[in-house]
Amino acid sequence: MGSSSPPPFDPPPAHPFQGGESITERLRELICAAGPIGVDVFMGEANAHYYATRDPLGVSGDFTTAPEISQMFGEMVGAALADCWDRAGRPDNTVYVELGPGRGTLAADALRVMAKAGLRPEVHFVETSPVLHEIQSQTHKNAEWHESLLTITPDRPLLLVANEFFDALPIRQWVGGEERQVKLEGENFAFTAGGSIREDSPEREAVASEIAAQLDVRGGVALVIDYGHVRSGVGDTMQAVRGHRFANVLADPGEQDLTSHVDFEALARAAQATPVEIDGPVEQGEWLEALGIGQRATALAKASPDRAAEIVAAQARLCDPDAMGKLFKVMAIRHRGWPVPAGFKR
Ligand code: SAH
């Protein structure tokens, strides 16, 4: 990585207003003192508070992710990584790295499949939330936690996974050449400019370029899975989710999940500042089917006939075009000497 690009996951800048106030109060004071703030500042501050203070996943939380829907998701990820590792010549010092591992469910399912293939990597998690760190540590006793990729045992090839991680990192919004900002209207937060909106995310791009830089030095492969688009485009994709429903993005900062569509073209461009290979993105449904989720569902249903309907429903939710199958994409970033992972057409 060039010395000019900022390392990702640096500790966020010191909060301008410390003390006992709520995040809403802090953001209001910030705007009163210094004027409107960027969408990235609002989103970054809100999500830092949100993730630091709760487990947002599952029925009792705000949203459900693919690994929480079914063990089959993590199993397919594990199978893809184990196969790629096998075809890379089974390097014995490979490390498993996950960015934003949530409850650690994906890692548990993936590592179980990898172990069956003879792959037992060191486990490293990049996680900023103390609440989720605690939950992850209950399942993953021997994992190590990091604030960034930079502290992970050097020189080892990476098998890296980021599922629904990038969507939570802050974006900026632009209307023409002008940055769209968040201002106050009385007590309420409101956007400054309206119109045809473009989004970008230096923060996401910095992480993509750091992944690529690490892969270039160490070898290995990264799977980035998220909801988003294959080509950069125009549109306001920011959304807030609370209690499994969409909410007003500017209401109650820090109490609801703020995300936006991931621009895979921008991530690929950022990664390719280093000479790595990019595979995909492909649609999640196609990818899971190519990896054999259908056969896995049949086997699981046969083993637990009482759960057959649930297993079929989970497969449909992960793969169907009108559920997660089409909106979610899978992209690989890999060292140029590593093989194309399964599930990507050449
Ligand atoms: N991958 C999990 C969880 C997705 S939720 C799953 O699929 O279920 C987003 C995850 O990213 C959470 O673990 C959250 O705490 C973490 N996260 C959010 N922002 C982060 C940041 N800036 N650095 C590291 N982790 C972050």
Side-chain angles (χ1 to χ4, degrees), residues 88-137:
R90 302 171 81 91
D92 62 6
N93 56 352
T94 308
V95 296
Y96 176 85
V97 176
E98 197 173 328
L99 308 184
R103 288 182 176 167
T105 309
L106 193 167
D109 294 330
L111 289 163
R112 189 177 59 248
V113 167
M114 286 155 90
K116 281 190 193 145
L119 169 57
R120 288 182 183 77
E122 271 181 21
V123 177
H124 295 266
F125 291 149
V126 176
E127 177 59 81
T128 46
S129 161
V131 175
L132 290 171
H133 177 156
E134 172 56 29
I135 294 171
Q136 292 152 19
S137 66

Side-chain angles (χ1 to χ4, degrees), residues 9 51 57 63 65 67-68 98-102 126-129 132 136 163-165 168-169:
F9 308 126
Y51 282 106
L57 294 158
F63 60 97
T65 55
E68 301 299 331
E98 197 173 328
L99 308 184
V126 176
E127 177 59 81
T128 46
S129 161
L132 290 171
Q136 292 152 19
N163 185 61
E164 289 208 47
F165 170 76
L169 301 183

Side-chain angles (χ1 to χ4, degrees), residues 309-334:
E310 178 198 321
I311 292 160
V312 170
Q315 183 192 346
R317 195 164 162 200
L318 294 172
C319 296
D320 281 2
D322 57 356
M324 295 173 77
K326 201 174 171 64
L327 179 58
F328 281 73
K329 313 286 188 306
V330 187
M331 184 174 88
I333 308 171
R334 82 186 138 82

Side-chain angles (χ1 to χ4, degrees), residues 59-207:
V59 181
S60 59
D62 290 323
F63 60 97
T64 301
T65 55
E68 301 299 331
I69 291 170
S70 167
Q71 70 185 78
M72 295 186 287
F73 184 79
E75 289 173 345
M76 294 302 124
V77 170
L81 293 177
D83 169 69
C84 196
W85 165 80
D86 183 57
R87 287 186 287 123
R90 302 171 81 91
D92 62 6
N93 56 352
T94 308
V95 296
Y96 176 85
V97 176
E98 197 173 328
L99 308 184
R103 288 182 176 167
T105 309
L106 193 167
D109 294 330
L111 289 163
R112 189 177 59 248
V113 167
M114 286 155 90
K116 281 190 193 145
L119 169 57
R120 288 182 183 77
E122 271 181 21
V123 177
H124 295 266
F125 291 149
V126 176
E127 177 59 81
T128 46
S129 161
V131 175
L132 290 171
H133 177 156
E134 172 56 29
I135 294 171
Q136 292 152 19
S137 66
Q138 289 164 16
T139 328
H140 299 278
K141 306 270 184 231
N142 298 320
E144 282 179 38
W145 279 264
H146 303 263
E147 303 241 308
S148 106
L149 288 176
L150 300 174
T151 51
I152 292 167
T153 330
D155 305 328
R156 312 272 191 91
L158 300 180
L159 299 172
L160 184 146
V161 181
N163 185 61
E164 289 208 47
F165 170 76
F166 280 93
D167 66 31
L169 301 183
I171 55 159
R172 299 186 300 189
Q173 292 190 326
W174 301 88
V175 178
E178 205 182 318
E179 187 172 1
R180 194 184 194 211
Q181 293 182 305
V182 179
K183 62 180 179 181
L184 276 173
E185 265 173 14
E187 291 273 276
N188 298 322
F189 298 109
F191 286 111
T192 52
S196 172
I197 291 169
R198 280 188 174 276
E199 299 176 337
D200 70 1
S201 176
E203 210 161 318
R204 293 178 187 178
E205 289 171 24
V207 177

